[in-house]
Amino acid sequence: MRFTSPPMSLEMPMAILGILSIQGAAAQCSEGLVNVVFNTGKTGGYTDQRWEQIHSASNWITFDFGLADKQIPMLGNDNTAIQKAIDVVNGPNPPDFMLTFNEPDNLYGSNPRQVILQPADAADLIKPLLDNRGNHTQFIAPVPAFDNLPWLPEFYGNCSCQDAFAAYNVHVYNETVEEAQERINAFHDTWNDKPLWITEIAPHQENSCPDPIPWDNSIQFLQQIYAWGQQTEWIEKIFWNSANEIHCGDTNVDASFLLDFNNNSTPLLGPFNQLTCS
Protein backbone atom coordinates (compact mmCIF):
# COMPACT_ATOMS: atom_id res chain seq x y z
CA MET A 1 0.00 0.00 0.00
CA ARG A 2 1.30 3.47 -0.87
CA PHE A 3 0.80 6.32 1.55
CA THR A 4 0.12 9.81 0.20
CA SER A 5 0.39 11.72 3.48
CA PRO A 6 2.92 14.56 3.67
CA PRO A 7 6.48 13.62 4.66
CA MET A 8 7.03 13.32 8.40
CA SER A 9 9.93 14.63 10.38
CA LEU A 10 12.79 12.29 11.17
CA GLU A 11 11.78 12.24 14.82
CA MET A 12 8.37 10.75 14.13
CA PRO A 13 9.54 7.61 12.25
CA MET A 14 12.08 6.93 14.97
CA ALA A 15 9.39 7.21 17.62
CA ILE A 16 7.13 4.88 15.68
CA LEU A 17 10.01 2.46 15.15
CA GLY A 18 10.63 2.42 18.90
CA ILE A 19 6.99 1.61 19.61
CA LEU A 20 6.92 -1.11 16.99
CA SER A 21 10.14 -2.60 18.35
CA ILE A 22 8.70 -2.78 21.85
CA GLN A 23 5.47 -4.33 20.62
CA GLY A 24 7.38 -6.78 18.43
CA ALA A 25 9.55 -7.89 21.32
CA ALA A 26 6.59 -8.31 23.63
CA ALA A 27 4.85 -10.45 21.04
CA GLN A 28 7.67 -13.00 20.84
CA CYS A 29 6.32 -15.33 23.54
CA SER A 30 4.15 -17.95 21.89
CA GLU A 31 0.46 -17.59 22.58
CA GLY A 32 -0.42 -19.48 25.74
CA LEU A 33 3.18 -20.08 26.89
CA VAL A 34 3.12 -17.73 29.91
CA ASN A 35 0.87 -18.77 32.81
CA VAL A 36 0.77 -18.71 36.62
CA VAL A 37 -0.14 -20.78 39.67
CA PHE A 38 -2.25 -19.36 42.51
CA ASN A 39 -1.49 -21.00 45.84
CA THR A 40 -3.75 -20.96 48.84
CA GLY A 41 -2.13 -19.59 51.98
CA LYS A 42 -2.69 -17.09 54.76
CA THR A 43 -4.62 -14.76 52.47
CA GLY A 44 -6.16 -17.32 50.12
CA GLY A 45 -5.28 -17.81 46.49
CA TYR A 46 -6.90 -16.43 43.35
CA THR A 47 -8.75 -13.11 43.50
CA ASP A 48 -9.90 -10.83 40.70
CA GLN A 49 -7.66 -8.08 42.09
CA ARG A 50 -4.57 -10.29 41.92
CA TRP A 51 -5.35 -11.64 38.45
CA GLU A 52 -5.87 -8.13 37.07
CA GLN A 53 -2.28 -7.22 37.99
CA ILE A 54 -0.76 -10.13 36.06
CA HIS A 55 -1.08 -8.88 32.51
CA SER A 56 1.11 -11.34 30.65
CA ALA A 57 -0.46 -14.63 31.77
CA SER A 58 -2.82 -16.48 29.45
CA ASN A 59 -4.19 -18.92 32.04
CA TRP A 60 -3.94 -19.77 35.71
CA ILE A 61 -4.30 -22.87 37.81
CA THR A 62 -4.85 -23.71 41.42
CA PHE A 63 -5.41 -26.95 43.24
CA ASP A 64 -9.10 -27.51 42.64
CA PHE A 65 -11.61 -28.02 39.87
CA GLY A 66 -12.75 -24.39 39.46
CA LEU A 67 -14.06 -23.02 36.18
CA ALA A 68 -13.42 -19.31 36.68
CA ASP A 69 -12.37 -17.10 33.78
CA LYS A 70 -9.03 -18.24 32.30
CA GLN A 71 -8.70 -21.03 34.87
CA ILE A 72 -7.69 -24.49 33.72
CA PRO A 73 -9.49 -26.96 36.01
CA MET A 74 -7.61 -29.65 37.91
CA LEU A 75 -9.14 -33.10 38.41
CA GLY A 76 -9.66 -34.29 41.97
CA ASN A 77 -8.76 -37.68 43.40
CA ASP A 78 -12.08 -39.43 44.07
CA ASN A 79 -15.20 -40.71 42.33
CA THR A 80 -17.16 -37.54 43.06
CA ALA A 81 -14.52 -35.49 41.25
CA ILE A 82 -14.57 -37.88 38.30
CA GLN A 83 -18.34 -37.64 37.94
CA LYS A 84 -18.21 -33.84 38.15
CA ALA A 85 -15.59 -33.80 35.40
CA ILE A 86 -17.71 -36.09 33.22
CA ASP A 87 -20.67 -33.73 33.62
CA VAL A 88 -18.56 -30.69 32.74
CA VAL A 89 -16.82 -32.06 29.65
CA ASN A 90 -20.17 -33.28 28.30
CA GLY A 91 -22.01 -30.09 29.27
CA PRO A 92 -22.78 -26.96 27.24
CA ASN A 93 -19.50 -25.14 28.06
CA PRO A 94 -16.67 -27.68 28.29
CA PRO A 95 -13.21 -26.27 29.07
CA ASP A 96 -10.50 -26.37 26.45
CA PHE A 97 -8.15 -28.24 28.78
CA MET A 98 -8.28 -30.21 32.00
CA LEU A 99 -5.36 -31.16 34.22
CA THR A 100 -5.60 -34.63 35.67
CA PHE A 101 -4.08 -36.04 38.88
CA ASN A 102 -1.72 -33.63 40.64
CA GLU A 103 1.23 -35.28 42.43
CA PRO A 104 -0.69 -38.48 43.21
CA ASP A 105 2.58 -40.05 44.35
CA ASN A 106 3.03 -37.63 47.25
CA LEU A 107 0.74 -36.61 50.10
CA TYR A 108 2.03 -33.09 50.75
CA GLY A 109 3.58 -32.76 54.19
CA SER A 110 3.73 -36.50 54.92
CA ASN A 111 6.94 -37.86 56.45
CA PRO A 112 7.74 -40.52 55.50
CA ARG A 113 6.19 -39.92 52.10
CA GLN A 114 2.73 -41.32 51.54
CA VAL A 115 1.08 -41.95 48.17
CA ILE A 116 -2.31 -40.38 47.46
CA LEU A 117 -3.17 -42.82 44.68
CA GLN A 118 -1.37 -45.98 43.71
CA PRO A 119 -0.86 -46.20 39.93
CA ALA A 120 -3.36 -49.06 39.52
CA ASP A 121 -5.97 -47.23 41.61
CA ALA A 122 -5.48 -44.05 39.61
CA ALA A 123 -5.89 -46.00 36.36
CA ASP A 124 -9.19 -47.48 37.57
CA LEU A 125 -10.41 -44.12 38.87
CA ILE A 126 -9.84 -42.15 35.67
CA LYS A 127 -11.22 -44.77 33.27
CA PRO A 128 -14.88 -43.60 33.41
CA LEU A 129 -13.80 -40.05 32.54
CA LEU A 130 -11.67 -41.16 29.60
CA ASP A 131 -14.54 -43.35 28.41
CA ASN A 132 -16.92 -40.35 28.58
CA ARG A 133 -14.56 -37.58 27.59
CA GLY A 134 -16.83 -35.49 25.38
CA ASN A 135 -15.72 -34.00 22.07
CA HIS A 136 -13.88 -30.84 23.09
CA THR A 137 -11.75 -30.93 26.23
CA GLN A 138 -8.12 -31.99 25.95
CA PHE A 139 -6.72 -33.83 28.97
CA ILE A 140 -3.22 -33.21 30.32
CA ALA A 141 -1.38 -36.21 31.74
CA PRO A 142 -1.01 -36.75 35.51
CA VAL A 143 2.04 -35.10 37.04
CA PRO A 144 4.04 -36.92 39.71
CA ALA A 145 5.98 -35.07 42.38
CA PHE A 146 8.93 -37.41 41.80
CA ASP A 147 9.27 -38.03 38.08
CA ASN A 148 12.30 -40.28 38.66
CA LEU A 149 10.11 -42.84 40.44
CA PRO A 150 8.04 -45.43 38.51
CA TRP A 151 4.57 -44.03 39.29
CA LEU A 152 3.95 -42.68 35.78
CA PRO A 153 5.01 -45.71 33.71
CA GLU A 154 3.09 -47.97 36.10
CA PHE A 155 0.00 -45.79 35.67
CA TYR A 156 0.20 -45.96 31.88
CA GLY A 157 0.83 -49.69 32.08
CA ASN A 158 -2.35 -50.16 34.10
CA CYS A 159 -4.66 -47.85 32.20
CA SER A 160 -3.43 -48.32 28.60
CA CYS A 161 -4.47 -44.68 28.18
CA GLN A 162 -1.32 -42.83 27.21
CA ASP A 163 -2.86 -41.81 23.89
CA ALA A 164 -5.76 -40.15 25.71
CA PHE A 165 -3.62 -37.23 26.84
CA ALA A 166 -2.77 -34.22 24.69
CA ALA A 167 0.37 -33.27 26.61
CA TYR A 168 2.68 -34.50 29.35
CA ASN A 169 3.18 -32.61 32.60
CA VAL A 170 6.10 -31.99 34.96
CA HIS A 171 6.95 -29.95 38.08
CA VAL A 172 10.46 -28.54 38.32
CA TYR A 173 12.25 -26.85 41.22
CA ASN A 174 16.00 -26.39 40.90
CA GLU A 175 18.38 -23.71 42.11
CA THR A 176 19.72 -22.83 38.66
CA VAL A 177 18.29 -22.62 35.17
CA GLU A 178 20.90 -25.09 33.96
CA GLU A 179 19.75 -27.68 36.50
CA ALA A 180 16.12 -27.07 35.57
CA GLN A 181 16.89 -27.50 31.88
CA GLU A 182 18.75 -30.71 32.57
CA ARG A 183 15.81 -32.14 34.49
CA ILE A 184 13.25 -31.06 31.89
CA ASN A 185 15.35 -32.52 29.09
CA ALA A 186 15.68 -35.79 31.00
CA PHE A 187 11.90 -35.99 31.37
CA HIS A 188 11.42 -35.17 27.69
CA ASP A 189 13.93 -37.83 26.68
CA THR A 190 11.55 -40.40 28.19
CA TRP A 191 8.21 -38.80 27.34
CA ASN A 192 8.74 -37.16 23.97
CA ASP A 193 5.80 -38.07 21.74
CA LYS A 194 3.63 -35.17 22.95
CA PRO A 195 4.09 -31.51 23.93
CA LEU A 196 5.08 -30.74 27.51
CA TRP A 197 3.38 -28.54 30.10
CA ILE A 198 5.49 -27.34 33.03
CA THR A 199 2.72 -26.66 35.52
CA GLU A 200 4.99 -25.64 38.39
CA ILE A 201 8.40 -24.06 38.18
CA ALA A 202 10.46 -21.68 40.32
CA PRO A 203 14.04 -21.37 41.59
CA HIS A 204 14.49 -23.61 44.62
CA GLN A 205 16.18 -21.97 47.62
CA GLU A 206 18.91 -23.69 49.58
CA ASN A 207 17.49 -22.30 52.83
CA SER A 208 13.91 -21.37 53.72
CA CYS A 209 12.85 -17.77 54.27
CA PRO A 210 15.86 -16.13 52.57
CA ASP A 211 16.59 -12.65 53.90
CA PRO A 212 17.07 -10.68 51.80
CA ILE A 213 15.17 -12.44 49.03
CA PRO A 214 17.48 -12.84 46.00
CA TRP A 215 15.12 -11.13 43.56
CA ASP A 216 17.82 -10.53 40.93
CA ASN A 217 18.50 -14.27 40.77
CA SER A 218 14.78 -15.02 40.49
CA ILE A 219 14.36 -12.47 37.70
CA GLN A 220 17.22 -14.04 35.76
CA PHE A 221 15.78 -17.54 36.28
CA LEU A 222 12.34 -16.34 35.16
CA GLN A 223 13.55 -14.68 31.99
CA GLN A 224 15.93 -17.46 30.99
CA ILE A 225 13.53 -20.35 31.56
CA TYR A 226 10.80 -18.74 29.44
CA ALA A 227 13.26 -17.84 26.68
CA TRP A 228 14.55 -21.40 26.65
CA GLY A 229 11.04 -22.84 26.75
CA GLN A 230 10.15 -20.74 23.72
CA GLN A 231 13.14 -22.11 21.81
CA THR A 232 12.43 -25.79 22.46
CA GLU A 233 9.24 -25.85 20.36
CA TRP A 234 7.96 -28.82 22.41
CA ILE A 235 7.23 -26.92 25.63
CA GLU A 236 3.67 -25.69 25.22
CA LYS A 237 2.89 -23.98 28.54
CA ILE A 238 4.91 -22.85 31.56
CA PHE A 239 3.16 -21.98 34.83
CA TRP A 240 5.23 -19.80 37.16
CA ASN A 241 4.80 -20.65 40.83
CA SER A 242 3.65 -18.52 42.46
CA ALA A 243 1.37 -15.63 41.57
CA ASN A 244 0.87 -14.86 45.26
CA GLU A 245 2.85 -15.09 48.49
CA ILE A 246 1.69 -18.04 50.60
CA HIS A 247 3.94 -18.31 53.65
CA CYS A 248 7.58 -18.27 54.57
CA GLY A 249 9.20 -21.66 54.73
CA ASP A 250 8.54 -23.36 51.39
CA THR A 251 11.96 -23.46 49.77
CA ASN A 252 10.38 -24.01 46.34
CA VAL A 253 8.50 -20.69 46.29
CA ASP A 254 10.14 -18.51 48.97
CA ALA A 255 11.70 -16.28 46.30
CA SER A 256 9.29 -16.46 43.37
CA PHE A 257 5.97 -14.79 44.29
CA LEU A 258 4.73 -11.96 42.06
CA LEU A 259 2.43 -10.35 44.66
CA ASP A 260 2.95 -10.12 48.41
CA PHE A 261 0.40 -10.68 51.18
CA ASN A 262 -0.94 -7.15 50.69
CA ASN A 263 -1.33 -7.61 46.91
CA ASN A 264 1.58 -5.28 46.28
CA SER A 265 3.92 -6.14 43.43
CA THR A 266 7.29 -7.67 44.19
CA PRO A 267 10.39 -6.98 42.04
CA LEU A 268 9.34 -10.02 39.97
CA LEU A 269 5.97 -8.76 38.74
CA GLY A 270 7.33 -6.17 36.32
CA PRO A 271 9.74 -8.58 34.59
CA PHE A 272 6.99 -11.23 34.45
CA ASN A 273 4.56 -8.80 32.80
CA GLN A 274 7.30 -7.72 30.38
CA LEU A 275 8.47 -11.17 29.32
CA THR A 276 9.60 -11.33 25.71
CA CYS A 277 10.89 -14.91 25.68
CA SER A 278 13.99 -13.66 23.88
Side-chain angles (χ1 to χ4, degrees), residues 123-142:
D124 289 341
L125 185 61
I126 203 171
K127 187 177 186 301
L129 174 59
L130 299 183
D131 288 344
N132 298 276
R133 58 184 302 141
N135 298 314
H136 180 80
T137 303
Q138 297 186 61
F139 294 94
I140 310 305

Side-chain angles (χ1 to χ4, degrees), residues 185-203:
N185 276 324
F187 185 87
H188 180 65
D189 285 344
T190 301
W191 310 104
N192 56 21
D193 60 310
K194 305 177 192 297
L196 180 65
W197 285 25
I198 304 171
T199 47
E200 292 183 22
I201 192 167

Side-chain angles (χ1 to χ4, degrees), residues 143-162:
V143 55
F146 303 98
D147 50 81
N148 58 336
L149 296 181
W151 194 97
L152 202 55
E154 289 180 11
F155 168 75
Y156 290 135
N158 278 277
C159 74
S160 300
C161 63
Q162 193 168 342

Side-chain angles (χ1 to χ4, degrees), residues 44-191:
Y46 170 90
T47 67
D48 290 342
Q49 181 185 3
R50 288 173 179 154
W51 177 242
E52 288 169 359
Q53 295 185 68
I54 303 172
H55 309 302
S56 60
S58 298
N59 294 105
W60 61 275
I61 60 174
T62 191
F63 304 99
D64 64 32
F65 189 78
L67 295 166
D69 185 41
K70 303 300 183 182
Q71 180 181 8
I72 296 176
M74 180 179 291
L75 183 67
N77 299 317
D78 56 32
N79 286 312
T80 299
I82 296 295
Q83 187 55 58
K84 183 176 182 179
I86 291 172
D87 293 341
V88 167
V89 300
N90 289 282
N93 297 298
D96 292 335
F97 301 103
M98 183 178 295
L99 298 167
T100 54
F101 303 128
N102 182 73
E103 299 192 353
D105 60 330
N106 181 50
L107 180 62
Y108 184 76
S110 62
N111 188 17
R113 178 179 64 91
Q114 298 180 35
V115 173
I116 297 173
L117 288 171
Q118 294 291 347
D121 295 335
D124 289 341
L125 185 61
I126 203 171
K127 187 177 186 301
L129 174 59
L130 299 183
D131 288 344
N132 298 276
R133 58 184 302 141
N135 298 314
H136 180 80
T137 303
Q138 297 186 61
F139 294 94
I140 310 305
V143 55
F146 303 98
D147 50 81
N148 58 336
L149 296 181
W151 194 97
L152 202 55
E154 289 180 11
F155 168 75
Y156 290 135
N158 278 277
C159 74
S160 300
C161 63
Q162 193 168 342
D163 290 342
F165 300 104
Y168 295 118
N169 192 355
V170 70
H171 292 170
V172 178
Y173 296 102
N174 292 96
E175 292 185 21
T176 69
V177 169
E178 291 76 17
E179 291 169 339
Q181 291 171 336
E182 182 178 354
R183 183 172 172 191
I184 294 165
N185 276 324
F187 185 87
H188 180 65
D189 285 344
T190 301
W191 310 104

Side-chain angles (χ1 to χ4, degrees), residues 254-273:
D254 271 348
S256 58
F257 49 95
L258 306 180
L259 298 165
D260 66 17
F261 288 131
N262 297 315
N263 296 337
N264 295 319
S265 62
T266 71
L268 266 181
L269 181 61
F272 187 83
N273 280 336

